[in-house]
Amino acid sequence: MRIGLDMMGGDYAPLEAVKGVKLFLDTVADVHLVLIGDEQALAPLLADARLDQSKYSVVHSSQIIGMNEHPTKALKEKPESSISIGFHLLKNGKIDAFISAGNTGAMMVGTFYSIKAIDGVQRPTISTPVPRENGTFGVLLDVGINADCKPENLVQFAILGSLYSQYILKIDNPKVGLLNIGEEEGKGNLLAQATYPLLKETKQINFVGNIEGRDIFTDKADVIVCEGFTGNVVLKMAESFHEVAVRRNIKDDYMDKFNFESYGGTPVLGVSHPVIIGHGISQATAFKNMIVLAQQMIQSKLLEKVKESFVAKEA
């Protein structure tokens, strides 16, 4: 198993990326990491970390895509950037997964134009883990890349989220809920009203009906489906819970779970290879957890399950 990591992406790279690599390699033996970045910048940091050199290799990149650069333009004009090289390696089978906390737009453009969506998937999606009061996690999707959706898109998000919940979060027969402004069928805007009957008819999921905002952090649904505009608002609000707790010096185990570092990054679901996008302010723990997630996606054969599911749906 070979996992590629953009060492130059993120506000605290490459130092925090190297620290995350060390945290991971200190506990895992059967994964080879391909570290993509400026060799001159990485060399002293890797030497200080005293890593087992048999567990990683470095692929040099001479360019960096900045956080504020135009994604498409940057990928075209910077073929030697760490993100461009990462997608080239992934597309050509040199790595099994690619991770970056760099320019999110460039990661999305690279994903869509390098490795493509799985046959049958209309729109790939991104999700976020949802900490629940009982100590488990649910999953919310879409959380930002599909601000406007059609009902059929939300049905596919439900299928993708169910598979992720089953094979990564280890939830049997995950319950799917449609995020809405009321529990009753027929509630909501035109999108929600049109989506409900489609979800109800979809045999590949365990649809439990509408759920409201107050249900998000309970176990009423394991997979919560919405369009990316609403999902991103919920995500950013949830992240603020941890920030408020830190500012007010509130020590609470549950609030700690809203720290994005605890889960690292979000996978792009519905594409043919594992791609994980990290927060721009990712530090060591986040980088380590993104690598762990990539490992879980590969070991669980999640993408093979997605392909099988959409072949069955098309049939």
Side-chain angles (χ1 to χ4, degrees):
M1 184 187 304
R2 295 171 65 85
I3 297 174
L5 178 62
D6 171 13
M7 302 300 288
M8 312 309 292
D11 294 348
Y12 303 112
L15 177 59
E16 291 299 320
V18 172
K19 289 181 179 178
V21 167
K22 179 172 175 57
L23 288 175
F24 179 79
L25 291 182
D26 281 349
T27 58
V28 177
D30 58 347
V31 175
H32 185 88
L33 298 183
V34 178
L35 311 181
I36 307 161
D38 186 317
E39 285 181 323
Q40 189 173 352
L42 290 176
L45 299 176
L46 293 171
D48 289 344
R50 298 181 180 179
L51 304 175
D52 182 344
Q53 294 185 15
S54 69
K55 294 182 179 181
Y56 74 91
S57 54
V58 175
V59 174
H60 177 64
S61 65
S62 59
Q63 297 173 312
I64 300 173
I65 295 178
M67 289 298 206
N68 297 318
E69 290 191 63
H70 187 279
T72 306
K73 183 179 179 182
L75 284 169
K76 183 177 179 181
E77 295 180 353
K78 294 185 173 181
E80 295 303 315
S81 67
S82 47
I83 290 179
S84 296
I85 291 172
F87 279 114
H88 176 76
L89 294 174
L90 186 62
K91 180 179 180 181
N92 289 283
K94 303 298 184 183
I95 55 177
D96 302 305
F98 179 48
I99 300 165
S100 176
N103 185 304
T104 301
M107 285 296 291
M108 294 309 306
V109 171
T111 300
F112 293 152
Y113 287 97
S114 294
I115 61 172
K116 312 296 184 183
I118 288 171
D119 286 345
V121 176
Q122 297 171 350
R123 290 191 187 181
T125 181
I126 57 175
S127 64
T128 188
V130 177
R132 302 189 288 195
E133 284 192 88
N134 64 5
T136 64
F137 283 88
V139 62
L140 171 71
L141 71 172
D142 182 276
V143 292
I145 65 170
N146 296 289
D148 295 297
C149 291
K150 297 178 180 179
E152 310 88 76
N153 302 143
L154 267 60
V155 171
Q156 291 199 343
F157 297 167
I159 296 170
L160 291 167
S162 294
L163 292 168
Y164 183 84
S165 182
Q166 182 179 351
Y167 290 100
I168 302 299
L169 300 181
K170 306 300 182 183
I171 299 174
D172 292 330
N173 197 26
K175 297 172 290 185
V176 175
L178 175 64
L179 189 58
N180 209 330
I181 58 172
E183 293 184 348
E184 302 85 3
E185 185 173 355
K187 283 277 190 173
N189 58 15
L190 293 176
L191 175 62
Q193 291 176 31
T195 301
Y196 190 104
L198 296 183
L199 290 172
K200 195 174 179 180
E201 295 167 4
T202 302
K203 294 182 172 56
Q204 292 167 282
I205 62 171
N206 176 22
F207 182 54
V208 295
N210 290 326
I211 69 161
E212 298 179 90
R214 62 186 174 187
D215 302 317
I216 291 174
F217 304 113
T218 72
D219 61 357
K220 187 169 183 179
D222 303 304
V223 179
I224 303 166
V225 178
C226 60
E227 91 294 338
F229 184 93
T230 300
N232 191 264
V233 172
V234 172
L235 168 63
K236 297 299 173 59
M237 181 189 70
E239 287 182 345
S240 75
F241 294 166
H242 179 259
E243 296 168 4
V244 170
V246 170
R247 286 197 298 270
R248 298 180 67 86
N249 199 30
I250 298 171
K251 305 295 184 184
D252 184 272
D253 290 343
Y254 178 64
M255 287 298 179
D256 287 344
K257 291 183 178 180
F258 286 92
N259 181 0
F260 75 91
E261 291 263 336
S262 65
Y263 56 85
T266 180
V268 183
L269 299 176
V271 294
S272 57
H273 295 79
V275 174
I276 297 171
I277 300 174
H279 206 299
I281 56 173
S282 292
Q283 298 190 44
T285 302
F287 279 106
K288 175 211 167 187
N289 286 331
M290 284 189 280
I291 303 169
V292 170
L293 177 55
Q295 181 187 24
Q296 291 174 334
M297 291 179 70
I298 296 167
Q299 288 178 334
S300 68
K301 301 187 185 306
L302 174 63
L303 300 190
E304 285 83 348
K305 305 297 182 184
V306 171
K307 291 174 185 175
E308 291 170 5
S309 181
F310 277 84
V311 166
K313 188 172 187 295
E314 291 297 314

